[in-house]
Amino acid sequence: MGGHVNVMDDVLISNLPPAYLRSALRTLLSQGPINQRPFVEHIRARLEETPPPLTEPSKLFPSPGTSSPECVDFLALTRCVFSSKLAGESLAYLSHFVNSIIQAHASWTPKSPLSQNLDKFAGDAVQAMQALKESAPEKSPKLREDLQALLASFSSCQTYCTNSKLQYPFSRADRQVRDTLQLFFPDTAIQSLPSNADRITVTLPPDSAIETFTLGNRQLPRLFNGLWQLSSPAFGVGNSDQQQQKLIKLVEAGLVAADMADHYGDAELVYGEFRNSLPPDIQPEIYAATKWCVFKPINTRVTTEYVLAAVKERCRRLGGRVDLLQFHWYDYEAKEYLEILHELIGITKSHPELLSAVGLCNFDAEHTEEICKYLIDRTGEVGIVSNQVQFSPIDTRPLMGMTQVCERYNLKLLTYGSLCGGLLTEKWLNQPPPDIYSPSNPLNPSQRKYLDMISHWGTWQEFQSLLSTLSLLATKYSVSIADVASRWVLQQPSVGAILVGTRLGISDRCADALKVFGWNLSNVDIMAIDAFAHGKGGEKLGAVYQKIGDCGQEYRGMRA
């Protein structure tokens, strides 16, 4: 029945500008699997019925440094292939693109249009490998051959770049494909990439002004480098060298902790390689917080071996220990999460070289308390140390119960979204709402997400009033709006640190981020922010809570 729609709806579909259609699709898909599943299945069926052709190398790369329309179209269709759960089928397209560089004798200079598209392709390949891992395909000989063929194309391209005196653009992608092949076929002999060991020299600040807090047995900065933005090229793409230089700068500023996840593209590989390339005396200072996110039934019995294997997989990608493993669970009705957390706490004691501490991710107050009581009953101690939740002046749900639970059981909150994807900045003060249909200045996934949060909280005009108040306080303390918003979160009960999104190799806000330290908002200042954050009579305090539910509820039931 895919072709049968209301006549007037058909008029809309036939005449709406592409940007409007994209916005409408995002709205429909945000409603959950009931819409997401048929959408993806339809696209997948069309692509299987009529697979995109393998464009000739001469059309992909017709002249030095240029990015042809055929090249742009080929990359776009390749993204559609792996994003529609045809990740295995996308391997042939990825290999073809890399091999075509050699066959067409392509060349480029740094920052040329073609160089930028090659960087995007590297990000696409990273995302394709993540899609392949999530699809859990049959470990067939063909899959092994296709992954090996892609690796071979990278190797040939690297030789071509060396001989042609071109910068090799696919180090990130190469590393991610190797990791995927090792995951699916651990018996496969894979030649290691050249190590960066002995290349990186960093100097930690002797007397850092960075504020710290205690988490488990570690003293950590109250700003974590958030690596979510490595999960999608939509945030921009930096190459390996650019990412490494940014990490060096962050660590030398004292920002030695990073937050990542098993599904944030190659974040664990990027951070693990960086950590292992540092001098041995510096490596223990670098803090790696990652996640184990379960989005669907596990269909297996919870055993020590099962949980230990999950820990070891994250250690493999990090090339060493997990300092903090934050656990997310898809459905509170399925109680295996209690057993898994009990096993994880046991592993911190039996295998401290693999796992140092355990936390939660996007658990609500009720179930966080349930977990604490369960662990105390089983082990005599709470065991977990943290919960990662969204917390900002427009999302105060943690104040509805979470902070009280954390104080009761001595847990720390690690908060994200505290700057609303950059919307809580001077850029948006006295500005109209962003044009979600703009093709020239599109919002990235983070901005779209937090613009939606603002709509749950209140109107754009009310958001402007909040920004104005933050701006006045920014002037008072000679800082930025972002610093004031961050400071407000840091001064809330049980908050240990905020996660600041780090676009490695794309932007550099390290110096600005450090201005959040060394001062405090007064009680009067906090009350001024609260007046807008909570609303008159406190009606906004529970607005997002009432519309979405408690902390993390928006992430339950999302995956098809």
Side-chain angles (χ1 to χ4, degrees):
M1 299 294 290
H4 179 75
V5 295
N6 178 283
V7 172
M8 298 311 293
D9 290 343
D10 190 65
V11 171
L12 279 173
I13 294 169
S14 301
N15 292 279
L16 277 174
Y20 280 57
L21 285 171
R22 290 190 179 96
S23 176
L25 280 171
R26 288 190 179 106
T27 300
L28 289 171
L29 297 181
S30 70
Q31 305 307 307
I34 192 171
N35 291 330
Q36 182 192 24
R37 188 176 292 112
F39 168 73
V40 174
E41 288 176 352
H42 175 74
I43 300 300
R44 184 167 64 247
R46 291 295 301 271
L47 290 170
E48 288 178 318
E49 179 183 336
T50 310
L54 296 177
T55 307
E56 294 178 15
S58 60
K59 292 184 178 179
L60 289 174
F61 308 108
S63 57
T66 61
S67 191
S68 68
E70 290 85 354
C71 179
V72 173
D73 289 345
F74 183 83
L75 291 177
L77 285 169
T78 300
R79 293 178 194 121
C80 293
V81 172
F82 67 72
S83 296
S84 62
K85 300 187 178 180
L86 293 172
E89 287 80 350
S90 75
L91 296 175
Y93 293 89
L94 299 173
S95 294
H96 175 75
F97 185 85
V98 179
N99 289 329
S100 294
I101 291 173
I102 304 169
Q103 295 170 22
H105 303 289
S107 64
W108 56 89
T109 55
K111 298 184 179 180
S112 66
L114 179 54
S115 176
Q116 292 174 11
N117 259 338
L118 295 180
D119 285 342
K120 289 179 182 177
F121 172 82
D124 292 336
V126 168
Q127 201 170 30
M129 293 305 102
Q130 185 61 40
L132 187 63
K133 293 173 185 178
E134 292 181 4
S135 68
E138 179 185 350
K139 298 175 184 178
S140 65
K142 184 178 187 312
L143 178 61
R144 186 198 297 255
E145 291 169 5
D146 287 346
L147 285 168
Q148 289 176 319
L150 181 52
L151 271 185
S153 71
F154 283 137
S155 179
S156 298
C157 186
Q158 189 168 24
T159 300
Y160 170 78
C161 288
T162 299
N163 294 338
S164 304
K165 297 182 180 180
L166 297 167
Q167 183 178 17
Y168 178 58
F170 302 138
S171 295
R172 278 186 69 197
D174 195 329
R175 180 178 55 203
Q176 178 82 326
V177 174
R178 289 169 186 272
D179 178 78
T180 305
L181 183 57
Q182 186 177 357
L183 173 66
F184 289 139
F185 306 102
D187 62 321
T188 303
I190 307 173
Q191 184 178 359
S192 299
L193 283 170
S195 173
N196 285 332
D198 303 326
R199 284 198 210 169
I200 300 181
T201 302
V202 300
T203 304
L204 296 179
D207 298 309
S208 177
I210 290 178
E211 296 172 17
T212 62
F213 74 110
T214 301
L215 189 67
N217 62 356
R218 290 289 297 270
Q219 201 69 17
L220 299 170
R222 298 193 73 195
L223 283 184
F224 277 34
N225 305 312
L227 302 185
W228 177 51
Q229 295 178 354
L230 289 178
S231 63
S232 170
F235 293 105
V237 180
N239 61 43
S240 294
D241 290 340
Q242 292 169 331
Q243 291 175 339
Q244 186 181 92
Q245 290 305 310
K246 178 60 182 292
L247 285 169
I248 290 172
K249 189 168 186 177
L250 290 167
V251 166
E252 290 191 331
L255 299 176
V256 297
D259 172 78
M260 63 211 85
D262 48 1
H263 59 288
Y264 289 5
D266 59 344
E268 290 173 326
L269 297 176
V270 169
Y271 202 68
E273 182 177 283
F274 170 74
R275 182 175 66 177
N276 291 331
S277 298
L278 295 172
D281 60 322
I282 298 293
Q283 289 182 26
E285 302 299 320
I286 307 303
Y287 194 84
T290 190
K291 302 182 185 75
W292 177 11
C293 296
V294 180
F295 295 112
K296 57 186 179 182
I298 58 176
N299 296 322
T300 188
R301 189 167 62 90
V302 176
T303 63
T304 301
E305 291 73 22
Y306 168 74
V307 178
L308 184 59
V311 173
K312 286 181 177 179
E313 169 57 18
R314 281 138 193 86
C315 291
R316 183 185 69 79
R317 283 173 60 81
L318 280 168
R321 74 185 183 280
V322 174
D323 294 304
L324 174 66
L325 184 60
Q326 301 162 98
F327 183 68
H328 173 80
W329 186 254
Y330 74 105
D331 180 11
Y332 294 132
E333 296 298 317
K335 293 297 180 181
E336 295 101 322
Y337 63 88
L338 296 171
E339 301 171 62
I340 289 175
L341 285 163
H342 177 248
E343 291 291 347
L344 286 173
I345 298 303
I347 290 170
T348 63
K349 296 176 171 57
S350 62
H351 295 78
E353 75 283 3
L354 300 180
L355 179 61
S356 300
V358 178
L360 306 177
C361 180
N362 285 315
F363 272 80
D364 64 17
E366 176 187 348
H367 294 92
T368 299
E369 182 152 42
E370 174 199 30
I371 289 165
C372 291
K373 289 179 176 178
Y374 176 84
L375 292 173
I376 289 172
D377 184 58
R378 292 290 304 271
T379 68
E381 60 182 353
V382 172
I384 60 173
V385 298
S386 62
N387 188 17
Q388 184 176 140
V389 297
Q390 187 176 163
F391 202 169
S392 75
I394 67 147
D395 185 1
T396 57
R397 285 179 292 169
L399 296 175
M400 302 292 289
M402 179 58 68
T403 56
Q404 295 88 329
V405 171
C406 289
E407 288 183 321
R408 199 150 47 239
Y409 295 99
N410 195 28
L411 306 180
K412 292 297 183 182
L413 291 177
L414 306 178
T415 73
Y416 63 89
S418 298
L419 302 180
C420 295
L423 294 173
L424 282 171
T425 60
E426 279 79 5
K427 177 181 178 179
W428 298 101
L429 179 63
N430 298 323
Q431 296 297 315
D435 181 3
I436 60 175
Y437 304 118
S438 172
S440 59
N441 190 26
L443 299 179
N444 64 42
S446 182
Q447 291 169 328
R448 290 197 299 269
K449 170 183 176 179
Y450 292 109
L451 185 63
D452 189 51
M453 293 301 299
I454 291 171
S455 70
H456 287 305
W457 170 81
T459 66
W460 184 257
Q461 188 55 49
E462 289 173 319
F463 182 67
Q464 286 296 311
S465 297
L466 172 62
L467 281 179
S468 295
T469 297
L470 297 176
S471 179
L472 290 173
L473 292 172
T475 300
K476 174 182 175 180
Y477 291 101
S478 299
V479 294
S480 69
I481 286 176
D483 293 325
V484 176
S486 298
R487 195 71 231 175
W488 181 88
V489 175
L490 286 172
Q491 289 181 225
Q492 298 301 311
S494 296
V495 172
I498 61 175
L499 315 178
V500 179
T502 304
R503 299 171 68 196
L504 294 181
I506 305 299
S507 62
D508 186 0
R509 298 194 179 110
C510 180
D512 293 337
L514 297 179
K515 292 179 182 178
V516 74
F517 298 126
W519 57 282
N520 276 310
L521 293 166
S522 69
N523 289 335
V524 173
D525 297 332
I526 290 176
M527 289 173 62
I529 297 172
D530 287 352
F532 292 98
H534 300 333
K536 186 176 180 181
E539 79 272 11
K540 288 192 180 301
L541 183 59
V544 178
Y545 187 99
Q546 292 297 324
K547 293 177 182 177
I548 298 179
D550 200 359
C551 299
Q553 190 58 36
E554 62 269 35
Y555 295 101
R556 289 186 164 76
M558 282 183 61
R559 297 278 176 119

